[in-house]
Amino acid sequence: MHRAKHAIVSSVAVTLASSLLLAACSATSTSTMNTPWSDVAGQEWHLVQVKDGNGTLSPTETVMATATFSVDGMVSGNAGCNQYSGDYEQSGASLGVAQLAMTRKFCVAEEAMRIASAFSGAFVLVSSWDMVDGNLVLKDSAGNVVIELTSTAP
């Protein structure tokens, strides 16, 4: 009887701990894939972070980057100091961006050149999108975040 009672208490404790852990994980970020693409298209998005090799880059006060996805399948914006544009295809959670055409101005700030290079490189890796805590999150085929954008201007 004592062993049975101990097994039940242990089972309840494990279930409770598992439930709390899952709740904590889900509370850290809120994915809202029920967001329609029409809420994304047509507005200017501002860079939060972009994957650059094994690290990430974030904009600075003097180096901003943006993206606007038009309803006709074009993405355009500023990649730090150069303008870019390219085609994209979106269907459900899938998103593909073609190679971008970019101006080739000399960027005085080295950080601007790094962001421009990372931004254009990351866009071609994009295979899906999601809305997480109000931010537009672009992911590669493995589900890794390659670009995160916000609708709020810094």
Side-chain angles (χ1 to χ4, degrees), residues 13-147:
V14 167
T15 302
L16 180 60
S18 297
S19 296
L20 290 173
L21 182 60
L22 286 174
C25 288
S26 65
T28 58
S29 65
T30 306
S31 173
T32 54
M33 239 354 263
N34 58 357
T35 301
W37 183 253
S38 59
D39 287 358
V40 173
Q43 71 173 303
E44 185 175 68
W45 293 89
H46 304 271
L47 181 64
V48 173
Q49 65 179 356
V50 60
K51 185 168 177 64
D52 180 35
N54 293 328
T56 58
L57 297 174
S58 296
T60 64
E61 197 171 296
T62 58
V63 180
M64 298 292 159
T66 62
T68 301
F69 295 88
S70 67
V71 294
D72 64 352
M74 291 288 297
V75 60
S76 61
N78 185 302
C81 74
N82 284 296
Q83 301 296 315
Y84 69 89
S85 65
D87 295 325
Y88 77 86
E89 290 186 18
Q90 179 275 328
S91 178
S94 295
L95 178 65
V97 179
Q99 185 69 42
L100 300 175
M102 189 175 294
T103 60
R104 295 179 182 234
K105 293 189 317 185
F106 176 75
C107 305
V108 176
E110 184 180 326
E111 189 68 13
M113 290 295 286
R114 289 183 58 213
I115 287 177
S117 177
F119 210 52
S120 64
F123 259 118
V124 298
L125 299 175
V126 171
S127 66
S128 66
W129 70 282
D130 196 0
M131 291 295 291
V132 178
D133 295 332
N135 286 351
L136 176 59
V137 177
L138 308 181
K139 301 177 182 179
D140 64 15
S141 60
N144 300 311
V145 175
V146 292
I147 301 173

